[in-house]
């Protein structure tokens, strides 16, 4: 994919202005490009308290180059930023200011409880909207990622649901998967977007193509 997510026109002076207020320092730089889960967790913790997290994600993501990009930027890792690129292909763009609002004391606990209950991001967005904060799915996913949570698109499987994973993915996300295939998205990108293994995603694509 060549689409740059969250692209905004910026100037060198504007970049320097927000960068001077960032929470990351030379002492924490190694964590932002570390490969361990512990390093990523430390980097996210810094980002969570950073006053320019939104500006960082907006400006820096615009220069990501697909698989060549890595490290934590604006609180998201490379895979999560690629998911945002896939989402943009589908016409989905996060409201980052609203994602910040979801981390406020008023909403963060509710967000955590809904995810812990097994709700998928789409359903979480629906519930929160009825409760007074209008959000969409991709915005919920960003808020979950910022807190170190998972933004997988599947809900927790009900105890009576005996369908294999690939069939659940097909039944719940066939329309999106076919759309991504039409748009030329890579299998790996589609799998990352849904939060499933590439083998599972490939099995679903094959099944849907044979059914057409």
């Amino acid at each position: 994919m060549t689409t740059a997510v969250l692209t905004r026109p910026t100037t060198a002076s504007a970049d320097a202005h927000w960068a001077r207020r960032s929470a990351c320092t030379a002492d924490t730089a190694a964590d932002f490009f570390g490969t361990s889960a512990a390093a990523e967790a430390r980097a996210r913790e810094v980002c969570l308290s950073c006053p320019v997290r939104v500006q960082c994600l907006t400006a820096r993501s615009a220069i990501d180059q697909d698989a060549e990009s890595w490290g934590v930027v604006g609180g998201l890792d490379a895979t999560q930023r690629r998911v945002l690129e896939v989402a943009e292909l589908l016409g989905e763009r996060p409201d980052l200011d609203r994602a910040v609002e979801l981390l406020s004391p008023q909403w963060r606990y509710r967000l955590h409880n809904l995810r812990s209950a097994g709700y998928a991001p789409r359903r979480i967005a629906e519930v929160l909207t009825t409760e007074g904060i209008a959000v969409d799915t991709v915005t919920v996913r960003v808020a979950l990622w910022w807190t170190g949570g998972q933004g997988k698109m599947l809900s927790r499987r009900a105890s009576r649901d005996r369908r294999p994973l690939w069939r659940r993915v097909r039944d719940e996300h066939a329309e999106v998967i076919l759309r991504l295939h039409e748009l030329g998205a890579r299998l790996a990108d589609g799998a990352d977007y849904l939060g499933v293994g590439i083998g599972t995603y490939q099995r679903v694509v094959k099944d849907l193509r044979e059914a057409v």
Side-chain angles (χ1 to χ4, degrees):
M1 294 181 300
T2 58
T3 303
V5 68
L6 305 175
T7 304
R8 298 285 191 281
T10 57
T11 65
S13 59
D15 287 346
H17 175 69
W18 69 257
R20 285 197 298 269
R21 296 185 289 120
S22 64
C24 55
T25 65
D27 292 334
T28 62
D31 287 335
F32 284 84
F33 296 97
T35 57
S36 70
E40 279 198 359
R42 289 192 296 268
R44 289 182 194 279
E45 190 65 27
V46 172
C47 287
L48 194 59
S49 64
C50 183
V52 292
R53 178 175 64 247
V54 170
Q55 292 94 323
C56 180
L57 181 58
T58 299
R60 300 286 175 79
S61 290
I63 61 173
D64 277 356
Q65 296 296 318
D66 295 330
E68 295 178 7
S69 68
W70 58 295
V72 175
V73 173
L76 303 186
D77 62 32
T79 297
Q80 291 161 349
R81 298 195 305 277
R82 284 198 300 272
V83 168
L84 292 187
E85 289 188 349
V86 180
E88 190 169 11
L89 282 176
L90 296 168
E92 304 170 359
R93 293 176 66 88
D95 182 337
L96 297 180
D97 291 330
R98 187 52 58 89
V100 170
E101 190 176 350
L102 285 176
L103 302 189
S104 66
Q106 180 181 359
W107 294 109
R108 183 170 177 175
Y109 183 71
R110 182 60 172 150
L111 178 70
H112 172 75
N113 280 351
L114 289 170
R115 191 53 175 165
S116 296
Y119 285 29
R122 181 185 302 169
R123 180 56 180 152
I124 292 175
E126 292 171 351
V127 172
L128 292 176
T129 297
T130 64
E131 294 180 352
I133 180 168
V135 290
D136 55 20
T137 301
V138 68
T139 299
V140 166
R141 297 183 82 179
V142 171
L144 289 169
W145 289 329
W146 273 343
T147 60
Q150 294 186 341
K152 295 180 180 181
M153 291 293 282
L154 285 177
S155 58
R156 181 183 301 161
R157 181 164 59 182
S159 58
R160 297 180 181 178
D161 190 346
R162 294 293 182 263
R163 292 173 299 170
L165 178 59
W166 75 267
R167 190 175 295 275
R168 288 182 60 214
V169 173
R170 185 200 65 181
D171 292 348
E172 297 175 21
H173 299 286
E175 183 177 349
V176 167
I177 293 170
L178 287 172
R179 179 62 176 151
L180 288 174
H181 181 69
E182 293 171 357
L183 292 169
R186 299 175 300 186
L187 292 174
D189 291 323
D192 285 340
Y193 175 79
L194 293 180
V196 299
I198 190 169
T200 297
Y201 188 83
Q202 190 170 17
R203 173 70 177 85
V204 176
V205 171
K206 180 176 182 294
D207 185 77
L208 290 173
R209 292 181 64 187
E210 289 176 349
V212 174

